[in-house]
Amino acid sequence: MSILQCGRFQLGLERPLVMGIVNITPDSFSDGGRHATTAAAIAHARRLVADGADMLDIGGESTRPGAAFVPADEEMARVLPVLAALQPLGVPLSIDTRKPAVMHAALQAGVDLVNDITALEGQGALAMLAQSPAAVCLMHMQGEPQTMQAAPQYDDVVAEVTAYLAARRNAALAAGIASDRIVLDPGFGFGKNLAHNAALFRALPATIAQLGCPQLIGVSRKRMLGDITGQPVEARLPASIAAALLAAQAGAAILRVHDVKETVDALKVLRALQ
Ligand code: HH2
């Protein structure tokens, strides 16, 4: 059985883990403003744990297409009080950030995983993580959130994303981050149109899994599901569950979701009847 060394925790990966999303932002694409105060975010996080979340992903900057940049001190003011309050909960805490300064503060606060949509390309990020016990999630993105959905282009999306993830995994290994601390993520919706996302999704078991690291898959409520179903963001729960189950069957190790309770139930059914 493979294990993820994740800060204070050693996580068995024999079944997909459910990562509940806590966005402390005014502008996230599906839940912006709903948990924007410290108290609301803490209450939401506790609810996700009660609903069966195996870990929590705390974010203070929306990275939806076109999102505004958030200064590091503003992002820290959003996430640090929430991290401090959730620390005693006994659940692995992930910080969703691309800023080394925020990573540093979150590591000081005892975060167990650093989830970076720029795959630790920020100045000093790899070396900082090498000095910590935290796990890392390295994600692929083409371009920048401001403009990434304008005209994403690939010759071969699967080959290019796989090569990028392999290169970032190798950079992490070379920096001294052990392989049992590395998670990879193809980055659904980050500089990818529906055809790109679909090609990547189909390639999950065949190609990306061969990189030998556990994979995190984040498709919850995303526009690709709206493109397929025609549903607005608030009506994408059935599509999100379907995609989560497909990702689980394709071997995903961690499912990053907004709707924890429903996903946990769906995974129970998959496990019992598969
Ligand atoms: N997706 C989002 C944010 N962070 N991290 C990883 N590793 N993988 C993802 O697919 C991923 C991510 C976007 O979703 P959300 O947090 O709900 O929205 P927003 O960026 O608007 O806050």
Side-chain angles (χ1 to χ4, degrees), residues 97-122:
T97 188
R98 52 183 165 152
K99 299 190 190 76
V102 179
M103 291 174 196
H104 180 75
L107 288 167
Q108 298 289 310
V111 84
D112 302 290
L113 190 155
V114 169
N115 172 27
D116 180 6
I117 62 164
T118 64
L120 301 184
E121 288 202 51

Side-chain angles (χ1 to χ4, degrees), residues 161-232:
V161 170
T162 306
Y164 175 82
L165 292 177
R168 293 311 296 161
R169 177 206 54 188
N170 291 344
L173 291 172
I177 301 172
S179 64
D180 61 1
R181 293 170 51 204
I182 301 175
V183 177
L184 300 177
D185 180 351
F188 288 99
F190 284 86
K192 293 155 190 110
N193 63 28
L194 178 57
H196 298 141
N197 287 318
L200 277 173
F201 204 99
R202 290 190 197 102
L204 285 178
T207 319
I208 299 171
Q210 284 174 13
L211 295 178
C213 293
Q215 283 183 72
L216 184 151
I217 298 299
V219 287
S220 181
R221 299 183 187 172
K222 281 190 178 169
R223 182 191 299 179
M224 60 185 274
L225 302 178
D227 289 343
I228 295 169
T229 61
Q231 296 293 351

Side-chain angles (χ1 to χ4, degrees), residues 23 28-29 62-64 96 115 185 190 218 222 256 258:
N23 284 324
S28 285
F29 79 95
S62 172
T63 48
R64 72 180 158 74
D96 184 357
N115 172 27
D185 180 351
F190 284 86
K222 281 190 178 169
R256 183 181 181 278
H258 300 88

Side-chain angles (χ1 to χ4, degrees), residues 26 35-37 91 93 114 125 149 151 153 192 229 260:
H35 324 294
T37 66
V91 170
L93 300 178
V114 169
Q149 290 305 107
Q153 279 195 345
K192 293 155 190 110
T229 61
V260 166

